[in-house]
Amino acid sequence: MNFDTIIKGGSVVTASDQMRADIGIQNGQITAIAIDLTDPAATTIDATGKLVLPGGIDSHVHIAQPSGDGIVMADDFESGTRSALFGGNTTIMPFCLQERDGDLRSAIDWYRGLTEGQLYTDVAFHLIVANPSPQVLGQQLPAAIEDGYTSIKVFMTYENLRLNDAELLATFDVARRHGGTMMVHCENEDAIRYLIDRHEKDGEVRPRAHASTRPIPVEREATHRALSLAEIVDLPIVIVHVSNGAAAEEIRRARQRGMKVTAETCPQYLMLTAKDLEGMDWEGAKFVCSPPPRDEAEQAACWQGLKDGTFDLFSSDHCPFRYASEDGKLNPKGAKNFRYIPNGIPGVETRLPILFSEGVMKGRIDIHKFVAVTSTNHAKTYGLYPRKGTIAIGSDADIAIWDPDLVKTVRHEDLHDGADYSPYEGLTLRGWPVMVMLRGKVMMRDGQLEGALGDGHYLTRASAPPSKTI
Ligand code: DUC
Ligand code: ZN
Ligand code: ZN
């Protein structure tokens, strides 16, 4: 057999196995895995002493998402996928937003247009439904699911995005009947509004108020409600960006009742706390995201949730805004009142190195869990498996080679996103990706870009079968 490429001598790791093996690649796919491949190959890559992992899949990122009020997201598809690539990822899943006064079909067409020739990694979209009108629920959403846009996020917070309970139930029902996967942002908007009013009356408008207006009960209650509504509809759901132990406990209880729930946490809930929002000179704005980071006890609860399987997914929730910019965190209103600081932090490039260093190298999780929660489970949850998310014969040759001994300190000047800071600046991490291959092509090697813009593809997904009764 002839190969285009052989990766030789590495330690190949999947969600379940680890073996010293060579990988043969032909036409962008893995066609052989063996102890010693001696067949001719156009290119041989020496991976001796390295870990050979499936490329990361980050199923929760925001790229070029319309943000209103003069706010502009710091990444377009070029910079967002480039940053993802350098962080060891080969697929990312951003959100295509239906605005409250817009329709879903034109949002999809517009957002797909932004990707044309602009990708360094593969990409597949989720949809955000902000206005479940009869037309959207009756025609546009079923048609979009049929076209392979099979995952849909809904919000229980933000005045212009939130769905009320009736709208949640109606949207869940469409997902159930047509085979969509629902992702839910769980925070109670009315409770937040009440707390914001109270803070403003007290003159408390600094960035730290973002955390105290979105305390744990705000998330816990909404998590419980989302799970209950899904249980009533009889629909498996995904609870995204879980920040604390009480919300995790709601998920465990729902599973004990027999519900099928997928749950996600993110680096900010392991590494940051609400204290980070207390930075002087408004620097706390750099850490404003929702749900907000909590405290050390909740960080420990999130680590525990990763370890014990409460969390299936570890995503970045990359949602970048420049800090020192009128279209970002320090917009004219945001520089005076926390309410107007755009919610979200960058992190697509640091997600994997953080979990590798803080999780695997510090013995909190094993390498198989690392692969599962950063790649395999994302592919399984969102209909990309086994094309993506594993190293197996017939899978796309999306591979990241890691040097577990490489030590680097996070400096934003070394990252590749469009923001002007990293929330993890100064954090020293052991273990970084040194080569990333997308469908058999080396895209990044030793910190240098080798791939070309346009090498990434938009991934079509098959329409999922209707959700099974749980
Ligand atoms: N929700 C997200 O998923 N990302 C950023 C902001 C938000 O509210
Ligand atoms: Zn969200
Ligand atoms: Zn998000």
Side-chain angles (χ1 to χ4, degrees), residues 60-62 95 153 155 185 240-241 264 290 317-319:
H60 189 149
V61 303
H62 302 264
F95 293 87
K153 184 177 177 188
F155 286 78
H185 178 131
V240 294
H241 48 49
E264 175 195 79
S290 293
D317 198 359
H318 178 77
C319 186

Side-chain angles (χ1 to χ4, degrees), residues 38 50 92 121 132 138 152 174 200 243 248 251 255 284 286 302 310 335 337 377 395 423 443 452 458:
T38 53
K50 307 285 195 303
I92 61 167
T121 65
I152 305 113
V174 172
E200 286 188 327
S243 73
I251 290 160
R255 285 180 181 153
K286 291 180 176 175
C302 290
T310 304
N337 184 321
N377 292 351
S395 296
M443 299 292 292
Y458 187 83

Side-chain angles (χ1 to χ4, degrees), residues 219-220 223 227 239 242-255 263 298 301-302 304-305 308 310-311:
E219 183 181 346
R220 186 193 62 216
T223 304
L227 289 164
I239 305 290
V242 177
S243 73
N244 67 86
E249 186 55 30
E250 294 293 342
I251 290 160
R252 285 190 285 271
R253 285 209 196 112
R255 285 180 181 153
E298 303 307 330
C302 290
Q304 180 57 32
D308 67 21
T310 304
F311 299 126

